[in-house]
Amino acid sequence: MPQMNNVQADWPLYEVFVRGKRGLNHVHVGSLHAADDRMALTHARDLYTRRNEGVSIWVVRSSEITASTPDEKDPFFAPSGDKVYRHPTFYDIPADVPHI
Amino acid sequence: MTTAAAEPAAPPDPLQQHFDDTIARDHRVEPRDWMPEGYRRTLVRQIAQHAHSEIIGMQPEGDWITRAPSLRRKAILFAKVQDEAGHGLYLYSAAETLGADRADLTRRLIEGRQKYSSIFNYPADTFADVGVIGWFVDGAAICNQVPLCRSSYGPYARAMVRVCKEESFHQRQGYELLLTMMRGTEGQRAMVQNAVDRWWWPSLMMFGPPDGDSPNSAQSTAWKIKRHSNDELRQRFVDMTVPQAERLGVTLPDPELRWNEERGSHDFGTPDWTELQRVISGDGPRNAERVSRRRAAHEEGTWVREAAAAHAAKQAERREEAATSRSVACPR
């Protein structure tokens, strides 16, 4: 007999990602609670795609996501801030050079 | 050393400064950003109330699903009420990004510790009420919610974008229902007018107390959670609705309602604010029924939630056992 007493009645939180149509990336649309992965998918379909908003859904437990802080001032993103030479506009090309 | 007044002011808290700059530049605040405790508290309260309103809002119209006059109307009403559930869930999801706990929010609703829109404490007496709710209540909700699509808190604003897209169907199905009834019998036209008479003033109250009487508005406006004042939105709703009423052929029950050329807007009477206070504080026609029904649905669903959780736990246990026995069978 499995131990039932400590079964959590509050279902865990899942984050939902939807591919709007073929050719697009999955985009985060929100979250929902579900008892397991399968239920999370069907709930996501009912909640986030009632009007053909998606052709594919990903769900993942919120607790499984590792995130940076979204703040743009985060020093985490500093390494990309000072590398202007990664952008095409950094390079001066004479105006008479075609196709570049 | 000179006088105390000459001492430099304390340097601004960099976190607070960064938050203020984000608001000033009209950028969005996102869940893991630092934010003042008051901002978080205000948002949780507002979003939770908004979510509860959607969930309780399923009840007045939900009663008519089994009594809809045709399969077409039944299917439409089903879809609409399902949307209200969806809107509630988008909003609970946004509240959870602020650290609110879903089970706790539900508890607060069914224990009467958190409020929902006063409008849902009125009864839907006839099928014409379904139409008028779509036209007035969802119309007023659109006036309120469209500016919230630019609210400073990202997840709330994004939830509002989804809600507004769907709300337009709600308003149009209501108006179309009323147009159909107005083309019907004398009795049906009277039913529409009766529903209009009962819902007009409570709908105007949906925008909240008058500006001078709305203590939290100034701070919410400064934080750009709120973009327009209660009275501005109420005016917008009146101006939007008057020509629709004319086209429909009903009379809005306000003798003071008239076009003001100078203002380019309609003048209108004053809602009964004591009634609003009474309904908000729990003494409306259906308050007790709405909350007790929500409570019953929650409590009667307990075994389902527990069974699903137990099933999920058992499945996870089996998968683990299977994985263990595989790794024993073929050691690497």
Side-chain angles (χ1 to χ4, degrees), chain B residues 171-229:
Chain B
Q171 194 191 18
R172 290 171 64 108
Q173 66 82 34
Y175 194 78
E176 187 231 39
L177 188 164
L178 298 173
L179 277 174
T180 308
M181 286 187 86
M182 291 301 282
R183 283 195 300 267
T185 64
E186 198 49 54
Q188 284 174 313
R189 277 189 288 278
M191 200 183 271
V192 173
Q193 182 61 56
N194 178 276
V196 165
D197 292 345
R198 284 180 290 108
W199 286 92
W200 175 248
W201 291 108
S203 299
L204 291 189
M205 295 176 200
M206 280 179 72
F207 298 93
D211 291 349
D213 223 358
S214 180
N216 301 323
S217 282
Q219 182 59 73
S220 283
T221 304
W223 276 330
K224 296 187 183 170
I225 294 172
K226 204 177 156 96
R227 296 280 185 167
H228 303 281
S229 79

Short mmCIF file of all heavy atoms in Angstrom, two decimals, chain B residues 171-229:
data_model
loop_
_atom_site.label_atom_id
_atom_site.label_comp_id
_atom_site.label_asym_id
_atom_site.label_seq_id
_atom_site.Cartn_x
_atom_site.Cartn_y
_atom_site.Cartn_z
N GLN B 171 -18.96 40.72 -26.00
CA GLN B 171 -19.83 41.88 -26.14
C GLN B 171 -20.71 41.73 -27.39
O GLN B 171 -21.90 42.00 -27.35
CB GLN B 171 -18.99 43.15 -26.22
CG GLN B 171 -19.85 44.39 -26.04
CD GLN B 171 -19.11 45.67 -26.38
OE1 GLN B 171 -18.09 45.65 -27.05
NE2 GLN B 171 -19.63 46.78 -25.91
N ARG B 172 -20.11 41.29 -28.47
CA ARG B 172 -20.86 41.20 -29.72
C ARG B 172 -21.96 40.14 -29.67
O ARG B 172 -23.05 40.35 -30.20
CB ARG B 172 -19.91 40.94 -30.89
CG ARG B 172 -19.03 42.16 -31.19
CD ARG B 172 -17.96 41.84 -32.20
NE ARG B 172 -18.53 41.50 -33.49
CZ ARG B 172 -18.48 42.28 -34.57
NH1 ARG B 172 -17.86 43.44 -34.49
NH2 ARG B 172 -19.01 41.91 -35.70
N GLN B 173 -21.66 38.99 -29.02
CA GLN B 173 -22.71 37.97 -28.95
C GLN B 173 -23.89 38.50 -28.14
O GLN B 173 -25.05 38.21 -28.43
CB GLN B 173 -22.19 36.63 -28.42
CG GLN B 173 -21.72 36.61 -26.96
CD GLN B 173 -22.83 36.46 -25.94
OE1 GLN B 173 -23.82 35.78 -26.21
NE2 GLN B 173 -22.67 37.09 -24.79
N GLY B 174 -23.60 39.31 -27.11
CA GLY B 174 -24.69 39.87 -26.29
C GLY B 174 -25.55 40.83 -27.08
O GLY B 174 -26.78 40.76 -27.05
N TYR B 175 -24.88 41.71 -27.82
CA TYR B 175 -25.62 42.72 -28.59
C TYR B 175 -26.43 42.04 -29.70
O TYR B 175 -27.58 42.40 -29.94
CB TYR B 175 -24.64 43.74 -29.17
CG TYR B 175 -25.32 44.99 -29.69
CD1 TYR B 175 -25.76 45.98 -28.83
CD2 TYR B 175 -25.53 45.17 -31.06
CE1 TYR B 175 -26.39 47.13 -29.30
CE2 TYR B 175 -26.15 46.30 -31.55
CZ TYR B 175 -26.58 47.29 -30.67
OH TYR B 175 -27.20 48.42 -31.14
N GLU B 176 -25.84 41.04 -30.32
CA GLU B 176 -26.56 40.33 -31.39
C GLU B 176 -27.78 39.60 -30.84
O GLU B 176 -28.84 39.58 -31.46
CB GLU B 176 -25.61 39.33 -32.07
CG GLU B 176 -26.19 38.66 -33.29
CD GLU B 176 -26.06 37.17 -33.26
OE1 GLU B 176 -26.23 36.55 -32.19
OE2 GLU B 176 -25.78 36.59 -34.31
N LEU B 177 -27.63 39.03 -29.63
CA LEU B 177 -28.74 38.36 -28.98
C LEU B 177 -29.89 39.36 -28.77
O LEU B 177 -31.06 39.05 -29.03
CB LEU B 177 -28.25 37.82 -27.63
CG LEU B 177 -29.12 36.90 -26.77
CD1 LEU B 177 -28.25 36.22 -25.72
CD2 LEU B 177 -30.24 37.64 -26.09
N LEU B 178 -29.54 40.57 -28.31
CA LEU B 178 -30.55 41.58 -28.04
C LEU B 178 -31.21 42.07 -29.33
O LEU B 178 -32.43 42.27 -29.39
CB LEU B 178 -29.94 42.76 -27.27
CG LEU B 178 -29.38 42.42 -25.88
CD1 LEU B 178 -28.67 43.61 -25.29
CD2 LEU B 178 -30.48 41.93 -24.95
N LEU B 179 -30.40 42.24 -30.38
CA LEU B 179 -30.97 42.63 -31.69
C LEU B 179 -32.00 41.61 -32.12
O LEU B 179 -33.07 41.97 -32.64
CB LEU B 179 -29.85 42.70 -32.74
CG LEU B 179 -29.02 43.98 -32.83
CD1 LEU B 179 -27.88 43.77 -33.83
CD2 LEU B 179 -29.88 45.17 -33.27
N THR B 180 -31.69 40.34 -31.92
CA THR B 180 -32.60 39.27 -32.31
C THR B 180 -33.90 39.36 -31.51
O THR B 180 -34.99 39.27 -32.07
CB THR B 180 -31.94 37.89 -32.08
OG1 THR B 180 -30.67 37.90 -32.73
CG2 THR B 180 -32.78 36.76 -32.65
N MET B 181 -33.77 39.56 -30.20
CA MET B 181 -34.97 39.66 -29.36
C MET B 181 -35.81 40.89 -29.73
O MET B 181 -37.03 40.85 -29.69
CB MET B 181 -34.60 39.71 -27.87
CG MET B 181 -34.16 38.37 -27.33
SD MET B 181 -33.92 38.39 -25.52
CE MET B 181 -35.58 38.06 -24.94
N MET B 182 -35.13 41.97 -30.08
CA MET B 182 -35.85 43.20 -30.43
C MET B 182 -36.63 43.04 -31.73
O MET B 182 -37.58 43.77 -31.99
CB MET B 182 -34.90 44.39 -30.53
CG MET B 182 -34.30 44.84 -29.21
SD MET B 182 -35.49 45.33 -27.95
CE MET B 182 -35.93 46.97 -28.50
N ARG B 183 -36.24 42.08 -32.55
CA ARG B 183 -36.99 41.80 -33.79
C ARG B 183 -38.13 40.83 -33.52
O ARG B 183 -38.85 40.45 -34.43
CB ARG B 183 -36.05 41.21 -34.86
CG ARG B 183 -35.16 42.23 -35.53
CD ARG B 183 -34.53 41.66 -36.82
NE ARG B 183 -33.71 40.49 -36.57
CZ ARG B 183 -32.39 40.53 -36.34
NH1 ARG B 183 -31.75 41.68 -36.36
NH2 ARG B 183 -31.71 39.43 -36.12
N GLY B 184 -38.25 40.37 -32.25
CA GLY B 184 -39.25 39.36 -31.92
C GLY B 184 -40.58 39.95 -31.51
O GLY B 184 -41.05 40.93 -32.08
N THR B 185 -41.18 39.37 -30.48
CA THR B 185 -42.53 39.78 -30.05
C THR B 185 -42.45 41.01 -29.14
O THR B 185 -41.38 41.38 -28.67
CB THR B 185 -43.19 38.65 -29.24
OG1 THR B 185 -42.42 38.45 -28.04
CG2 THR B 185 -43.25 37.36 -30.03
N GLU B 186 -43.61 41.57 -28.86
CA GLU B 186 -43.72 42.69 -27.94
C GLU B 186 -43.17 42.28 -26.57
O GLU B 186 -42.44 43.04 -25.91
CB GLU B 186 -45.20 43.12 -27.83
CG GLU B 186 -45.42 44.50 -27.26
CD GLU B 186 -44.54 45.55 -27.91
OE1 GLU B 186 -44.56 45.69 -29.17
OE2 GLU B 186 -43.83 46.24 -27.15
N GLY B 187 -43.52 41.06 -26.16
CA GLY B 187 -43.06 40.54 -24.87
C GLY B 187 -41.54 40.46 -24.79
O GLY B 187 -40.93 40.77 -23.77
N GLN B 188 -40.92 40.06 -25.90
CA GLN B 188 -39.46 39.94 -25.93
C GLN B 188 -38.81 41.31 -25.85
O GLN B 188 -37.81 41.50 -25.15
CB GLN B 188 -39.01 39.19 -27.19
CG GLN B 188 -39.26 37.70 -27.09
CD GLN B 188 -38.95 36.97 -28.39
OE1 GLN B 188 -39.37 37.40 -29.47
NE2 GLN B 188 -38.20 35.88 -28.29
N ARG B 189 -39.41 42.28 -26.54
CA ARG B 189 -38.86 43.64 -26.48
C ARG B 189 -38.96 44.20 -25.06
O ARG B 189 -38.03 44.84 -24.55
CB ARG B 189 -39.58 44.56 -27.48
CG ARG B 189 -39.02 44.45 -28.89
CD ARG B 189 -39.59 45.53 -29.81
NE ARG B 189 -40.99 45.28 -30.14
CZ ARG B 189 -41.39 44.45 -31.09
NH1 ARG B 189 -40.51 43.79 -31.84
NH2 ARG B 189 -42.68 44.26 -31.32
N ALA B 190 -40.07 43.91 -24.41
CA ALA B 190 -40.25 44.38 -23.03
C ALA B 190 -39.22 43.72 -22.10
O ALA B 190 -38.70 44.34 -21.17
CB ALA B 190 -41.67 44.06 -22.56
N MET B 191 -38.92 42.47 -22.39
CA MET B 191 -37.94 41.73 -21.58
C MET B 191 -36.57 42.38 -21.71
O MET B 191 -35.84 42.52 -20.72
CB MET B 191 -37.90 40.28 -22.08
CG MET B 191 -37.34 39.28 -21.09
SD MET B 191 -37.27 37.62 -21.82
CE MET B 191 -38.87 37.01 -21.37
N VAL B 192 -36.22 42.79 -22.93
CA VAL B 192 -34.93 43.46 -23.14
C VAL B 192 -34.88 44.78 -22.38
O VAL B 192 -33.93 45.07 -21.65
CB VAL B 192 -34.66 43.70 -24.64
CG1 VAL B 192 -33.39 44.54 -24.84
CG2 VAL B 192 -34.52 42.38 -25.39
N GLN B 193 -35.97 45.58 -22.51
CA GLN B 193 -35.98 46.88 -21.84
C GLN B 193 -35.88 46.70 -20.32
O GLN B 193 -35.16 47.44 -19.64
CB GLN B 193 -37.27 47.64 -22.20
CG GLN B 193 -37.35 49.04 -21.59
CD GLN B 193 -36.21 49.96 -22.05
OE1 GLN B 193 -36.02 50.17 -23.24
NE2 GLN B 193 -35.42 50.48 -21.10
N ASN B 194 -36.56 45.69 -19.81
CA ASN B 194 -36.53 45.41 -18.38
C ASN B 194 -35.11 45.06 -17.90
O ASN B 194 -34.64 45.55 -16.86
CB ASN B 194 -37.50 44.27 -18.06
CG ASN B 194 -37.48 43.89 -16.61
OD1 ASN B 194 -36.63 43.11 -16.18
ND2 ASN B 194 -38.39 44.45 -15.83
N ALA B 195 -34.42 44.26 -18.70
CA ALA B 195 -33.05 43.89 -18.33
C ALA B 195 -32.13 45.11 -18.40
O ALA B 195 -31.27 45.31 -17.54
CB ALA B 195 -32.54 42.78 -19.26
N VAL B 196 -32.33 45.96 -19.41
CA VAL B 196 -31.54 47.19 -19.53
C VAL B 196 -31.75 48.07 -18.30
O VAL B 196 -30.80 48.58 -17.71
CB VAL B 196 -31.92 47.96 -20.82
CG1 VAL B 196 -31.41 49.40 -20.79
CG2 VAL B 196 -31.40 47.23 -22.05
N ASP B 197 -33.02 48.19 -17.88
CA ASP B 197 -33.34 49.03 -16.71
C ASP B 197 -32.63 48.52 -15.45
O ASP B 197 -32.17 49.31 -14.64
CB ASP B 197 -34.86 49.03 -16.45
CG ASP B 197 -35.62 49.77 -17.55
OD1 ASP B 197 -34.96 50.50 -18.33
OD2 ASP B 197 -36.86 49.60 -17.64
N ARG B 198 -32.56 47.23 -15.30
CA ARG B 198 -31.94 46.68 -14.08
C ARG B 198 -30.42 46.72 -14.11
O ARG B 198 -29.77 46.85 -13.09
CB ARG B 198 -32.43 45.24 -13.85
CG ARG B 198 -33.85 45.17 -13.30
CD ARG B 198 -34.32 43.74 -13.07
NE ARG B 198 -34.54 43.01 -14.31
CZ ARG B 198 -33.78 42.03 -14.77
NH1 ARG B 198 -32.74 41.63 -14.10
NH2 ARG B 198 -34.07 41.45 -15.93
N TRP B 199 -29.80 46.60 -15.31
CA TRP B 199 -28.33 46.46 -15.37
C TRP B 199 -27.60 47.78 -15.59
O TRP B 199 -26.38 47.85 -15.41
CB TRP B 199 -27.93 45.45 -16.44
CG TRP B 199 -28.20 44.04 -16.02
CD1 TRP B 199 -29.33 43.31 -16.25
CD2 TRP B 199 -27.34 43.19 -15.24
NE1 TRP B 199 -29.23 42.07 -15.67
CE2 TRP B 199 -28.02 41.96 -15.05
CE3 TRP B 199 -26.06 43.33 -14.69
CZ2 TRP B 199 -27.47 40.89 -14.34
CZ3 TRP B 199 -25.50 42.26 -13.98
CH2 TRP B 199 -26.21 41.07 -13.81
N TRP B 200 -28.31 48.83 -16.04
CA TRP B 200 -27.60 50.05 -16.42
C TRP B 200 -26.79 50.65 -15.26
O TRP B 200 -25.59 50.85 -15.38
CB TRP B 200 -28.58 51.09 -16.98
CG TRP B 200 -27.94 52.40 -17.28
CD1 TRP B 200 -28.15 53.58 -16.62
CD2 TRP B 200 -26.94 52.68 -18.28
NE1 TRP B 200 -27.36 54.57 -17.17
CE2 TRP B 200 -26.60 54.04 -18.19
CE3 TRP B 200 -26.31 51.89 -19.26
CZ2 TRP B 200 -25.66 54.65 -19.01
CZ3 TRP B 200 -25.38 52.49 -20.09
CH2 TRP B 200 -25.05 53.85 -19.96
N TRP B 201 -27.49 50.90 -14.13
CA TRP B 201 -26.77 51.58 -13.05
C TRP B 201 -25.68 50.72 -12.41
O TRP B 201 -24.55 51.20 -12.21
CB TRP B 201 -27.77 52.10 -11.99
CG TRP B 201 -28.60 53.23 -12.53
CD1 TRP B 201 -29.93 53.19 -12.86
CD2 TRP B 201 -28.16 54.57 -12.84
NE1 TRP B 201 -30.34 54.40 -13.34
CE2 TRP B 201 -29.29 55.27 -13.33
CE3 TRP B 201 -26.94 55.23 -12.74
CZ2 TRP B 201 -29.23 56.60 -13.73
CZ3 TRP B 201 -26.87 56.56 -13.13
CH2 TRP B 201 -28.00 57.23 -13.62
N PRO B 202 -25.98 49.44 -12.13
CA PRO B 202 -24.89 48.59 -11.61
C PRO B 202 -23.69 48.55 -12.57
O PRO B 202 -22.55 48.47 -12.12
CB PRO B 202 -25.55 47.21 -11.47
CG PRO B 202 -27.00 47.52 -11.23
CD PRO B 202 -27.28 48.73 -12.09
N SER B 203 -23.95 48.64 -13.90
CA SER B 203 -22.83 48.61 -14.85
C SER B 203 -21.97 49.87 -14.70
O SER B 203 -20.74 49.80 -14.78
CB SER B 203 -23.34 48.49 -16.28
OG SER B 203 -24.06 47.30 -16.45
N LEU B 204 -22.63 51.03 -14.48
CA LEU B 204 -21.86 52.26 -14.29
C LEU B 204 -21.02 52.19 -13.01
O LEU B 204 -19.95 52.79 -12.91
CB LEU B 204 -22.79 53.48 -14.23
CG LEU B 204 -23.50 53.86 -15.52
CD1 LEU B 204 -24.19 55.21 -15.35
CD2 LEU B 204 -22.53 53.93 -16.70
N MET B 205 -21.52 51.44 -12.03
CA MET B 205 -20.79 51.30 -10.77
C MET B 205 -19.55 50.43 -10.91
O MET B 205 -18.66 50.45 -10.07
CB MET B 205 -21.70 50.71 -9.69
CG MET B 205 -22.85 51.61 -9.31
SD MET B 205 -23.91 50.75 -8.11
CE MET B 205 -25.43 51.70 -8.28
N MET B 206 -19.49 49.64 -12.00
CA MET B 206 -18.33 48.76 -12.21
C MET B 206 -17.02 49.53 -12.27
O MET B 206 -15.95 48.96 -12.06
CB MET B 206 -18.48 48.00 -13.53
CG MET B 206 -19.38 46.79 -13.47
SD MET B 206 -19.49 46.02 -15.09
CE MET B 206 -17.86 45.28 -15.27
N PHE B 207 -17.11 50.84 -12.61
CA PHE B 207 -15.86 51.61 -12.74
C PHE B 207 -15.34 52.09 -11.39
O PHE B 207 -14.32 52.76 -11.33
CB PHE B 207 -16.09 52.77 -13.70
CG PHE B 207 -16.44 52.30 -15.08
CD1 PHE B 207 -17.75 52.16 -15.48
CD2 PHE B 207 -15.44 51.94 -15.97
CE1 PHE B 207 -18.08 51.68 -16.74
CE2 PHE B 207 -15.74 51.47 -17.23
CZ PHE B 207 -17.07 51.33 -17.62
N GLY B 208 -16.08 51.76 -10.34
CA GLY B 208 -15.63 52.13 -9.01
C GLY B 208 -16.18 53.47 -8.57
O GLY B 208 -16.88 54.15 -9.32
N PRO B 209 -15.85 53.86 -7.34
CA PRO B 209 -16.37 55.12 -6.79
C PRO B 209 -15.86 56.31 -7.59
O PRO B 209 -14.91 56.19 -8.37
CB PRO B 209 -15.81 55.14 -5.37
CG PRO B 209 -14.68 54.18 -5.36
CD PRO B 209 -14.97 53.16 -6.42
N PRO B 210 -16.51 57.49 -7.43
CA PRO B 210 -16.04 58.68 -8.15
C PRO B 210 -14.60 59.02 -7.75
O PRO B 210 -14.14 58.63 -6.68
CB PRO B 210 -17.01 59.78 -7.71
CG PRO B 210 -17.73 59.26 -6.53
CD PRO B 210 -17.68 57.77 -6.59
N ASP B 211 -13.91 59.72 -8.65
CA ASP B 211 -12.47 59.95 -8.46
C ASP B 211 -12.12 60.53 -7.10
O ASP B 211 -11.14 60.13 -6.48
CB ASP B 211 -11.94 60.87 -9.56
CG ASP B 211 -11.95 60.16 -10.91
OD1 ASP B 211 -12.17 58.92 -10.92
OD2 ASP B 211 -11.76 60.84 -11.94
N GLY B 212 -12.94 61.48 -6.63
CA GLY B 212 -12.64 62.12 -5.36
C GLY B 212 -12.71 61.16 -4.18
O GLY B 212 -12.26 61.48 -3.09
N ASP B 213 -13.27 60.00 -4.44
CA ASP B 213 -13.57 59.06 -3.37
C ASP B 213 -12.81 57.75 -3.53
O ASP B 213 -13.19 56.72 -2.98
CB ASP B 213 -15.08 58.75 -3.46
CG ASP B 213 -15.72 58.75 -2.10
OD1 ASP B 213 -15.00 58.95 -1.12
OD2 ASP B 213 -16.96 58.57 -2.05
N SER B 214 -11.77 57.78 -4.33
CA SER B 214 -11.06 56.55 -4.69
C SER B 214 -9.63 56.64 -4.16
O SER B 214 -8.72 57.07 -4.87
CB SER B 214 -11.10 56.39 -6.22
OG SER B 214 -10.43 55.22 -6.60
N PRO B 215 -9.42 56.24 -2.91
CA PRO B 215 -8.18 56.52 -2.20
C PRO B 215 -6.91 55.91 -2.83
O PRO B 215 -5.84 56.50 -2.74
CB PRO B 215 -8.43 55.94 -0.80
CG PRO B 215 -9.55 54.95 -0.97
CD PRO B 215 -10.37 55.46 -2.10
N ASN B 216 -7.05 54.74 -3.48
CA ASN B 216 -5.85 54.08 -3.98
C ASN B 216 -5.45 54.52 -5.39
O ASN B 216 -4.39 54.15 -5.89
CB ASN B 216 -6.04 52.56 -3.98
CG ASN B 216 -6.33 52.04 -2.58
OD1 ASN B 216 -5.77 52.53 -1.60
ND2 ASN B 216 -7.21 51.06 -2.48
N SER B 217 -6.33 55.30 -6.02
CA SER B 217 -6.13 55.61 -7.44
C SER B 217 -4.84 56.37 -7.72
O SER B 217 -4.14 56.06 -8.68
CB SER B 217 -7.31 56.42 -7.97
OG SER B 217 -8.39 55.56 -8.21
N ALA B 218 -4.53 57.36 -6.88
CA ALA B 218 -3.37 58.22 -7.18
C ALA B 218 -2.09 57.41 -7.22
O ALA B 218 -1.30 57.52 -8.16
CB ALA B 218 -3.27 59.33 -6.14
N GLN B 219 -1.90 56.55 -6.23
CA GLN B 219 -0.68 55.74 -6.20
C GLN B 219 -0.64 54.76 -7.37
O GLN B 219 0.40 54.58 -8.00
CB GLN B 219 -0.58 55.00 -4.86
CG GLN B 219 0.68 54.17 -4.70
CD GLN B 219 1.97 54.97 -4.81
OE1 GLN B 219 2.33 55.72 -3.91
NE2 GLN B 219 2.67 54.84 -5.92
N SER B 220 -1.78 54.15 -7.67
CA SER B 220 -1.81 53.20 -8.80
C SER B 220 -1.52 53.90 -10.12
O SER B 220 -0.92 53.31 -11.01
CB SER B 220 -3.19 52.53 -8.89
OG SER B 220 -3.31 51.54 -7.90
N THR B 221 -1.96 55.15 -10.23
CA THR B 221 -1.69 55.91 -11.45
C THR B 221 -0.21 56.27 -11.52
O THR B 221 0.41 56.16 -12.58
CB THR B 221 -2.55 57.19 -11.48
OG1 THR B 221 -3.92 56.80 -11.35
CG2 THR B 221 -2.37 57.95 -12.78
N ALA B 222 0.38 56.65 -10.38
CA ALA B 222 1.80 56.98 -10.36
C ALA B 222 2.65 55.76 -10.74
O ALA B 222 3.67 55.89 -11.41
CB ALA B 222 2.20 57.48 -8.98
N TRP B 223 2.21 54.60 -10.34
CA TRP B 223 2.94 53.37 -10.67
C TRP B 223 2.59 52.86 -12.06
O TRP B 223 3.06 51.81 -12.49
CB TRP B 223 2.60 52.29 -9.63
CG TRP B 223 3.43 52.36 -8.39
CD1 TRP B 223 4.71 52.82 -8.26
CD2 TRP B 223 3.02 51.94 -7.07
NE1 TRP B 223 5.12 52.70 -6.95
CE2 TRP B 223 4.11 52.16 -6.20
CE3 TRP B 223 1.84 51.38 -6.55
CZ2 TRP B 223 4.07 51.86 -4.84
CZ3 TRP B 223 1.81 51.08 -5.20
CH2 TRP B 223 2.90 51.31 -4.35
N LYS B 224 1.67 53.56 -12.74
CA LYS B 224 1.21 53.19 -14.08
C LYS B 224 0.58 51.79 -14.13
O LYS B 224 0.62 51.10 -15.15
CB LYS B 224 2.35 53.30 -15.12
CG LYS B 224 2.82 54.75 -15.27
CD LYS B 224 3.80 54.92 -16.40
CE LYS B 224 4.29 56.38 -16.44
NZ LYS B 224 5.41 56.57 -17.35
N ILE B 225 0.03 51.38 -12.99
CA ILE B 225 -0.79 50.17 -12.99
C ILE B 225 -2.11 50.54 -13.63
O ILE B 225 -2.68 49.83 -14.44
CB ILE B 225 -1.02 49.67 -11.54
CG1 ILE B 225 0.30 49.22 -10.90
CG2 ILE B 225 -2.03 48.53 -11.53
CD1 ILE B 225 0.18 48.89 -9.43
N LYS B 226 -2.58 51.73 -13.26
CA LYS B 226 -3.84 52.26 -13.75
C LYS B 226 -3.51 53.40 -14.69
O LYS B 226 -2.62 54.20 -14.41
CB LYS B 226 -4.57 52.80 -12.52
CG LYS B 226 -6.04 52.91 -12.60
CD LYS B 226 -6.56 53.40 -11.23
CE LYS B 226 -7.88 54.07 -11.41
NZ LYS B 226 -9.00 53.20 -11.15
N ARG B 227 -4.22 53.51 -15.81
CA ARG B 227 -3.89 54.53 -16.80
C ARG B 227 -4.93 55.64 -16.92
O ARG B 227 -4.65 56.70 -17.44
CB ARG B 227 -3.70 53.89 -18.18
CG ARG B 227 -2.53 52.93 -18.26
CD ARG B 227 -1.24 53.69 -18.42
NE ARG B 227 -0.10 52.80 -18.61
CZ ARG B 227 1.08 53.22 -19.02
NH1 ARG B 227 1.28 54.50 -19.29
NH2 ARG B 227 2.08 52.38 -19.16
N HIS B 228 -6.16 55.36 -16.48
CA HIS B 228 -7.23 56.37 -16.57
C HIS B 228 -8.03 56.33 -15.27
O HIS B 228 -8.12 55.30 -14.63
CB HIS B 228 -8.17 56.08 -17.75
CG HIS B 228 -7.47 56.02 -19.06
ND1 HIS B 228 -7.08 57.14 -19.76
CD2 HIS B 228 -7.06 54.96 -19.79
CE1 HIS B 228 -6.48 56.77 -20.87
NE2 HIS B 228 -6.44 55.46 -20.92
N SER B 229 -8.64 57.46 -14.95
CA SER B 229 -9.41 57.52 -13.70
C SER B 229 -10.76 56.82 -13.88
O SER B 229 -11.23 56.61 -15.00
CB SER B 229 -9.61 58.96 -13.28
OG SER B 229 -10.66 59.53 -14.03
#
